């Protein structure tokens, strides 16, 4: 790993296909495997090749709406054979967190979908629907676009009475087939504004989710695969494991270049085909950083790119120049023209 005093300064190379270098892929779902319920291009074939080669595939999602059985069934329908044990959700992580703080069998007010209810039952807790049901905790998770507004009021009544409040995750947005939609974090903000309280959060990028994932998969050499810097990649950083960012979801080139250390992935690729290949090295060349046919330099006020070749190699070189210049902060240099050259 090319690090300077613990700070990643460039994407890492790999002489082996990533599916051989790591024993388990911890894959995000929304924006990585599918969007709006439909498989993302190349996802199904890439995952089949990785699995056939011996890599275990585990699906780790902050979306608490559906049960692991439902997620596994959806993936299987898409052509990705999956069992419920291969799915880890933020609902499971938050249910474990709650179970460690309330009595066995305690009532928990649920603001969300069936995934939360199933996870609470798995931990021996009792889901309830009203603040007047004497809950020992309130848990909030993504409930889908049709979640009634009154559910937020129910959570607020309980939280204002002093009931401990938990959230599966705080992702502000979620990818859909029509674009980017409000996520559970936006719903959490509604209750926060109404109550002034702060929830305990379990999902990525926080430790409870990483703990849940390792407990359930037993991975020795995991690779986190995701599309979000502030959940997937930061979660890998917090867990001390490597990560692959794919550009099929919410993160664009400009956000990647500006990433602070905790948001810098180990590897960058266009989509899940990146699991099946090695990763090119980024090397120092004079005042610049070179990858493939591209050389990137951090100039006075902007990132400069010269050369030609694969656009992803140019992005990797730009990342190296930007992250080196930024050190422990976020790169403020203008990379718009360089990214435009790459079509990113």
């Amino acid at each position: 790993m090319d690090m300077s005093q613990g700070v990643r300064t460039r994407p890492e190379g790999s002489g082996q296909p990533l599916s051989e270098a790591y024993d388990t892929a911890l894959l995000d779902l929304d924006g990585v495997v599918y969007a709006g319920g439909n498989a993302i291009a190349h996802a199904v074939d890439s995952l089949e090749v990785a699995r056939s080669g011996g890599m275990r595939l585990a699906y780790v999602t902050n979306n608490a709406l559906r049960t692991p059985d439902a997620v596994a069934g959806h993936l299987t329908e898409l052509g990705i054979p999956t069992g419920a044990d291969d799915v880890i959700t933020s609902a499971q992580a938050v249910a474990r967190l709650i179970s460690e703080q309330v009595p066995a069998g305690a009532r928990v007010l649920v603001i969300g979908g069936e995934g939360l209810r199933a996870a609470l039952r798995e931990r021996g807790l009792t889901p309830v629907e009203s603040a007047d049901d004497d809950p020992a905790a309130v848990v909030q998770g993504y409930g889908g676009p049709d979640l009634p507004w009154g559910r937020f009021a129910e959570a607020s009544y309980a939280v204002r009475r002093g009931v401990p409040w938990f959230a599966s995750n705080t992702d502000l947005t979620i990818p859909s087939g029509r674009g980017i939609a409000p996520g559970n974090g936006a719903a959490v903000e509604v209750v926060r504004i109404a109550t002034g309280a702060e929830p305990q959060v379990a999902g990525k990028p926080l430790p409870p989710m990483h703990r849940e994932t390792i407990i359930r998969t037993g991975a020795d050499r995991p690779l986190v695969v995701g599309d979000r810097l502030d959940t997937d990649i930061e979660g890998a950083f917090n867990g001390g494991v490597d990560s692959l960012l794919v550009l099929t979801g919410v993160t664009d080139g400009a956000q990647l270049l500006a990433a602070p250390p905790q948001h810098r992935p180990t590897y960058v690729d266009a989509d899940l085909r990146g699991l099946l290949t090695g990763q090119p090295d980024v090397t120092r060349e004079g005042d610049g950083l070179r990858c493939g046919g591209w050389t990137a330099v951090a100039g006075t006020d902007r990132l400069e790119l010269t050369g030609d070749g694969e656009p992803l190699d140019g992005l990797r070189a730009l990342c190296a120049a930007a992250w080196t210049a930024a050190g422990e902060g976020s790169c403020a240099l203008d990379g718009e023209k360089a990214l435009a050259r790459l079509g990113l």
Side-chain angles (χ1 to χ4, degrees), residues 8 21 46 55-56 68 92 102 108 115 127 162 164 176 182 190 207 242 246 267 270 293-294 299:
R8 186 180 301 283
S46 297
M55 186 180 222
R56 179 176 179 186
Q92 294 171 319
V102 302
V108 180
S176 78
V190 173
D242 289 346
V246 291
Y267 311 105
W294 299 96

Side-chain angles (χ1 to χ4, degrees), residues 35-152:
N38 298 316
I40 287 172
H42 310 295
V44 174
D45 291 345
S46 297
L47 292 173
E48 173 58 27
V49 173
R51 186 186 63 80
S52 297
M55 186 180 222
R56 179 176 179 186
L57 306 179
Y59 301 94
V60 185
T61 178
N62 263 359
N63 190 331
L65 178 61
R66 295 186 294 172
T67 65
D69 279 325
V71 173
H74 179 205
L75 288 169
T76 300
E77 288 176 359
L78 292 177
I80 305 167
T82 307
D85 290 345
D86 299 322
V87 179
I88 302 95
T89 73
S90 63
Q92 294 171 319
V94 77
R96 188 183 299 272
L97 188 63
I98 295 168
S99 72
E100 294 169 345
Q101 300 183 41
V102 302
R107 298 178 179 183
V108 180
L109 173 58
V110 176
I111 312 300
E114 183 56 28
L116 275 178
R117 294 178 179 86
L120 291 169
R121 295 187 192 104
E122 183 186 23
R123 299 257 68 85
L125 301 170
T126 304
V128 298
E129 302 302 316
S130 172
D132 297 333
D133 289 331
D134 193 28
V138 178
V139 64
Q140 190 170 358
Y142 184 65
D146 298 323
L147 185 70
W149 185 260
R151 301 307 295 156
F152 305 141

